[in-house]
């Protein structure tokens, strides 16, 4: 009825067998010899179509015959010239032989069917496993590729964020600096305008003086109060010079801070700490007083600009923590093979629950837009890149101390 | 299988007794062989049993001749029930015209019955049988044992299934013939449809069943 998919290749074990196929399995000579002994030389074993399979040494036609049955149907016949009882007995023996042969054949073929089927199932499973292995290998390769890409994306984003954090603190610094520079520029401009008027007044006396009109000159001198003008002129110039010096120093500090001029990689912490504190002092939001306590610190190998960024960021944090007129202390000490830098404030402190997380990226307690949450993360990374580490101690309402430990490079 | 051999004028129908290990498939065949006396009955071929476990199959050939002269031959097979012999089971099940699923009534055999039935469904599909249309009878055997599923329980469980359920104690010969008869009734329709048993060979369903299931007394 239905095509047997599993056994399509082989033959069914339960198909209709022929007598010939059974006799094949038996030793023909021995069977012929046995039959001849039983039936005499005149016998024939034929299949259902009358084709002789085994015959005696002197067969002849038209002999008494007995059908041989298999599965209810005749599959051949045995004929011989012997007595009917002998023929029946021989046929019965043949039936037993046929049953045994059928059993043998069917079992063997079924076993073959089953084995082929098992083998085919195994081969299929094997192929499926190979396919799935290939798929996984593919996936693993892709995964590696994807992880690499993701790492690249993350690294990129991180670099951008770190840059953003740097820009944020630089921006804050720039705003303070603009104010600091604007002040002297304002009074220098005003002084220069006054100086221009003073110059015009002085020039008005020059004609009478050169032409010897002493009286007129004296009257003009008196009228313009040129004694005061001359005094004030030099005062203006002195003031402007000191203003310009102030600007020059701020610019010099800024340059030093950003290490534009650094050549080589040796950092003089004494100098840079002074600059950072000086810059920070100009822009404290709460007018906190920043004290600087410095031992003579050894030179370090490192990136001055980055270390400045760390210290400025820590001072800015302290400034945000203190109340109006609070105190910030920056210390630099030598401690064995380490330089220990501290930024301590007497501000609000950090709750113990928050303390373990302050170095986590993007962790911030400030309002959205007020901080990136990366200040301490970036600082820690910079310090780590210098072979150092950071610690933080804090008590709520008492203040916070951030400690930066940097290794002293040994010669 | 349903093989029509025009040269020999015979039609062979293959019936397979399927089910979990030790549920009584071979016993069913032995009792049928004892009980039935159709016109033609061959010897039962029992193959290589080891501790009462069928390794390959058992086979009983039964048959009768239709008025048309067509020999209707029924080859009854059992499969080995043990899980390990699945490939053999598939080969025997291949080209079956009808299946008797012999379940073990004992309560502790519920899981085995279920797994064997799933195995039947899966293997039928794998050897290309249309399981939905396959003539099938479910027999709950070993009704004489203690701690068995009650008849109501069994009937309720199979209530929604399209297959009839019979109860048997094959060891005592009870229900064996009834199960076989029920399967023949279900099998007839498809055989008639395909081989015009009634129209061309003069074998209606009643004759088909009664001749195939003839016992000594009726023969």
């Amino acid at each position: 009825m239905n095509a047997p998919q599993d056994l399509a290749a082989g033959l069914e074990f339960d198909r209709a067998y022929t007598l010939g196929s059974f006799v094949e399995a038996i030793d023909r000579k021995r069977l012929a010899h046995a039959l001849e002994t039983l039936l005499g030389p005149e016998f024939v074993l034929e299949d259902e179509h009358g084709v002789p399979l085994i015959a005696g040494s002197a067969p002849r036609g038209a002999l008494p015959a007995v059908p041989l049955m298999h599965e209810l149907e005749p599959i051949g016949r045995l004929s011989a010239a012997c007595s009917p009882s002998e023929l029946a007995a021989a046929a019965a023996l043949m039936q037993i032989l046929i049953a045994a042969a059928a059993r043998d054949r069917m079992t063997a073929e079924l076993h073959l069917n089953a084995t082929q089927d098992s083998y085919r199932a195994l081969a299929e499973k094997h192929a499926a496993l190979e396919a799935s292995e290939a798929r996984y290998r593919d996936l693993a390769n892709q995964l590696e590729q994807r992880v690499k890409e993701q790492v690249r994306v993350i690294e990129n984003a991180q670099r951008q964020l770190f840059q953003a954090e740097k820009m944020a603190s630089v921006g804050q610094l720039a705003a303070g600096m603009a104010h600091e520079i604007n002040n002297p520029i304002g009074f220098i401009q005003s002084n220069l305008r006054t100086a221009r008027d003073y110059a015009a007044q002085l020039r008005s006396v020059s004609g009478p003086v050169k032409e010897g009109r002493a009286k007129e000159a004296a009257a003009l001198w008196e009228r313009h109060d040129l004694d005061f003008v001359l005094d004030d002129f030099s005062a203006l110039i002195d003031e402007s010079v000191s203003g310009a010096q102030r600007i020059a120093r701020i610019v010099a500090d800024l340059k030093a801070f950003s290490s534009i001029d650094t050549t080589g990689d040796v950092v003089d912490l004494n100098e840079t700490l002074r600059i950072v504190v000086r810059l920070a002092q100009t822009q404290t939001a709460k007018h906190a007083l920043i004290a600087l306590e410095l031992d003579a610190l050894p030179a370090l190998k490192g990136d001055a600009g980055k270390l400045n960024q760390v210290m400025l960021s820590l001072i800015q944090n302290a400034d945000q923590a203190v109340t109006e007129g609070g105190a910030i202390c920056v210390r630099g000490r030598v401690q064995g093979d380490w330089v220990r830098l501290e930024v301590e404030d007497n501000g609000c402190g950090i709750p113990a629950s928050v303390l373990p997380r302050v170095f986590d990226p993007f962790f911030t307690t400030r309002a959205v837009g007020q901080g990136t949450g990366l200040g301490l993360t970036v600082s820690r990374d910079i310090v780590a890149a210098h072979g150092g580490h950071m610690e933080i101690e804090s008590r709520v309402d008492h203040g916070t101390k951030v400690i930066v430990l940097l290794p002293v490079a040994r010669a | 299988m349903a093989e029509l051999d025009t040269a020999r004028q015979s039609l062979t129908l293959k019936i397979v007794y399927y089910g979990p290990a030790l549920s009584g498939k071979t016993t069913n065949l032995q009792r049928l062989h004892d009980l039935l006396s159709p016109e033609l009955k061959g010897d039962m071929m029992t193959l290589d049993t080891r501790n009462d476990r069928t390794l390959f199959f058992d086979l009983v050939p039964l048959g009768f001749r239709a008025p048309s002269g067509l020999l209707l031959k029924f080859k009854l097979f059992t499969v080995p029930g043990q899980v390990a012999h699945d490939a053999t089971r598939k080969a025997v099940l291949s080209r079956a015209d009808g299946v008797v699923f012999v379940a073990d009534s004992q309560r502790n055999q519920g899981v085995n019955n279920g797994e064997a039935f799933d195995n039947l469904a899966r293997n039928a599909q794998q050897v290309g049988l249309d399981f939905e249309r396959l003539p099938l009878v479910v027999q709950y055997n070993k009704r004489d044992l203690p701690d068995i599923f009650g008849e109501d329980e069994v009937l309720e469980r199979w209530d929604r299934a399209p297959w009839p359920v019979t109860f048997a104690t094959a060891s005592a010969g009870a229900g064996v013939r009834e199960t076989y008869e029920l399967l023949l009734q279900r099998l007839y329709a498809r055989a008639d449809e395909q081989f015009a048993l009634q129209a061309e060979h003069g074998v209606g369903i009643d004759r088909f069943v009664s001749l195939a299931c003839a016992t000594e007394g009726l023969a």
Side-chain angles (χ1 to χ4, degrees):
Chain A
M1 267 187 239
N2 298 294
Q5 298 167 358
D6 280 48
L7 306 171
L11 291 164
E12 298 80 30
F13 78 98
D14 54 340
R15 65 180 184 276
Y17 293 92
T18 60
L19 181 58
S21 69
F22 291 145
V23 170
E24 259 171 34
I26 303 166
D27 185 332
R28 221 169 244 268
K29 265 190 190 160
R30 288 176 66 187
L31 181 59
H33 181 71
L35 287 174
E36 186 148 348
T37 309
L38 287 171
L39 303 170
E42 296 170 63
F43 80 90
V44 183
L45 180 68
E46 298 163 313
D47 71 6
E48 57 188 306
H49 306 296
V51 177
L53 298 170
I54 296 176
S57 50
R60 57 184 170 91
L63 292 166
V66 175
L68 296 173
M69 308 292 287
H70 175 62
E71 285 183 357
L72 315 180
E73 291 178 85
I75 56 165
R77 55 191 200 143
L78 182 64
S79 21
C82 61
S83 73
S85 63
E86 279 172 327
L87 182 57
L93 276 177
M94 273 312 293
Q95 286 293 169
I96 292 168
L97 265 181
I98 288 166
R103 215 170 137 108
D104 228 45
R105 280 302 289 270
M106 289 179 83
T107 316
E109 303 236 351
L110 176 63
H111 182 65
L112 188 66
N113 284 171
T115 310
Q116 282 172 345
D117 183 55
S118 299
Y119 177 76
R120 217 208 54 253
L122 271 179
E124 267 172 20
K125 204 173 274 181
H126 180 68
L129 276 174
E130 273 185 338
S132 106
E133 194 206 343
R135 207 165 49 237
Y136 277 116
R137 205 180 301 125
D138 237 38
L139 217 70
N141 289 339
Q142 277 179 24
L143 200 66
E144 211 170 304
Q145 189 60 35
R146 271 189 229 168
V147 167
K148 273 185 194 156
E149 274 166 29
Q150 282 300 313
V151 166
R152 218 171 15 247
V153 167
I154 290 168
E155 279 177 352
N156 218 350
Q158 212 165 21
R159 256 198 302 280
Q160 283 174 2
L161 278 166
F162 280 22
Q163 192 61 28
E165 170 60 23
K166 189 176 172 183
M167 292 314 287
S169 71
V170 167
Q172 200 181 336
L173 184 66
M177 290 305 105
H179 179 71
E180 278 306 297
I181 292 171
N182 245 351
N183 247 341
I185 284 178
F187 68 74
I188 288 171
Q189 277 178 332
S190 146
N191 285 354
L192 289 175
R193 271 194 297 274
T194 311
R196 190 168 56 201
D197 293 345
Y198 286 170
Q201 287 168 3
L202 284 172
R203 189 174 292 115
S204 70
V205 194
S206 75
V209 169
K210 279 191 241 173
E211 289 155 22
R213 289 176 272 148
K215 250 197 183 143
E216 193 185 343
L220 279 168
W221 191 272
E222 207 53 43
R223 176 136 50 97
H224 293 304
D225 194 5
L226 291 181
D227 282 331
F228 167 79
V229 166
L230 279 179
D231 284 351
D232 198 37
F233 206 157
S234 29
L236 287 184
I237 286 168
D238 286 349
E239 196 184 51
S240 297
V241 166
S242 90
Q245 277 170 346
R246 234 168 101 188
I247 293 171
R249 209 183 65 186
I250 289 168
V251 170
D253 283 353
L254 269 176
K255 273 173 78 178
F257 175 82
S258 57
S259 295
I260 291 164
D261 290 339
T262 0
T263 51
D265 52 3
V266 177
V267 186
D268 179 0
L269 280 175
N270 305 291
E271 181 57 23
T272 57
L273 281 175
R274 277 190 198 99
I275 293 166
V276 170
V277 167
R278 214 152 54 213
L279 279 173
Q281 185 66 73
T282 62
Q283 52 167 329
T284 53
K286 311 264 181 53
H287 309 105
L289 195 69
I290 306 175
L292 179 63
E293 297 172 11
L294 270 186
D295 287 352
L297 300 176
L300 287 183
K301 286 201 161 188
D303 184 331
K306 290 243 160 66
L307 289 176
N308 288 344
Q309 190 189 336
V310 171
M311 295 311 287
L312 181 68
S313 166
L314 295 181
I315 294 170
Q316 284 172 344
N317 283 347
D319 184 43
Q320 296 208 19
V322 295
T323 49
E324 187 69 28
I328 298 170
C329 186
V330 178
R331 290 185 201 93
R333 310 227 180 283
V334 179
Q335 186 179 309
D337 288 339
W338 299 84
V339 167
R340 179 187 173 100
L341 305 178
E342 292 179 3
V343 177
E344 186 173 9
D345 66 63
N346 61 354
C348 58
I350 302 167
S353 59
V354 170
L355 207 53
R357 302 183 57 199
V358 292
F359 288 109
D360 292 353
F362 308 110
F363 179 80
T364 180
T365 54
R366 292 176 199 148
V368 175
Q370 294 296 302
T372 57
L374 279 170
L376 281 173
T377 312
V378 172
S379 294
R380 185 197 52 192
D381 291 352
I382 291 172
V383 170
H386 284 80
H389 59 272
M390 287 176 74
E391 291 165 13
I392 193 158
E393 296 167 2
S394 189
R395 275 172 67 204
V396 172
D397 294 334
H398 284 78
T400 301
K401 188 199 277 184
V402 182
I403 300 145
V404 175
L405 288 155
L406 295 166
V408 178
R410 262 167 278 184
Chain B
M1 185 185 246
E3 211 168 66
L4 182 67
D5 187 331
T6 44
R8 285 182 176 178
Q9 267 292 290
S10 71
L11 172 66
T12 305
L13 295 163
K14 181 176 182 179
I15 293 166
V16 175
Y17 279 67
Y18 211 95
L22 296 171
S23 66
K25 300 175 290 295
T26 301
T27 312
N28 258 275
L29 245 62
Q30 282 168 342
R31 291 298 162 269
L32 274 179
H33 190 254
D34 297 345
L35 284 168
L36 301 185
S37 294
E39 184 187 345
L40 299 162
K41 175 161 89 170
D43 289 336
M44 176 162 174
M45 188 187 280
T46 297
L47 280 151
D48 290 343
T49 63
R50 188 187 289 165
N51 307 328
D52 273 349
R53 298 277 181 109
T54 302
L55 278 183
F56 289 97
F57 61 88
D58 305 305
L59 167 60
V60 169
L62 300 168
F64 65 87
R65 210 165 278 281
S68 67
L70 179 74
L71 171 64
L72 279 149
K73 206 156 84 173
F74 301 86
K75 283 164 87 169
L76 280 58
F77 284 91
T78 61
V79 297
Q82 284 172 283
V83 176
H85 299 310
D86 199 44
T88 306
R89 221 166 11 249
K90 257 155 73 173
V92 175
L93 180 65
S94 171
R95 305 158 87 236
D97 295 300
V99 170
V100 172
F101 181 81
V102 182
D104 191 322
S105 293
Q106 296 179 92
R107 288 194 175 276
N108 60 13
Q109 295 300 308
V111 173
N112 289 342
N113 290 337
E115 281 172 359
F117 197 82
D118 287 345
N119 177 265
L120 167 61
R122 192 168 55 248
N123 281 346
Q125 190 255 327
Q126 281 188 19
V127 300
L129 294 175
D130 181 356
F131 190 60
E132 299 300 313
R133 294 191 59 209
L134 181 70
L136 175 76
V137 173
V138 176
Q139 179 195 76
Y140 268 74
N141 191 20
K142 307 194 187 180
R143 300 308 297 168
D144 58 329
L145 293 186
D147 199 22
I148 54 175
F149 291 110
E151 290 202 4
D152 291 346
E153 219 173 324
V154 170
L155 290 174
E156 196 188 315
R157 181 167 303 175
W158 290 85
D159 187 33
R160 296 227 192 100
W163 309 289
V165 177
T166 63
F167 296 92
T169 304
S171 58
V176 167
R177 184 174 173 274
E178 289 74 7
T179 304
Y180 180 54
E181 213 178 280
L182 199 55
L183 182 74
L184 288 174
Q185 280 167 2
R186 296 175 73 84
L187 190 148
Y188 176 82
R190 288 186 78 185
D192 183 45
E193 186 183 308
Q194 208 176 352
F195 302 104
L197 294 182
Q198 168 80 72
E200 285 182 23
H201 302 286
V203 182
I205 185 162
D206 292 339
R207 180 181 284 226
F208 180 80
V209 174
S210 66
L211 287 180
C213 290
T215 57
E216 206 75 57
L218 294 170

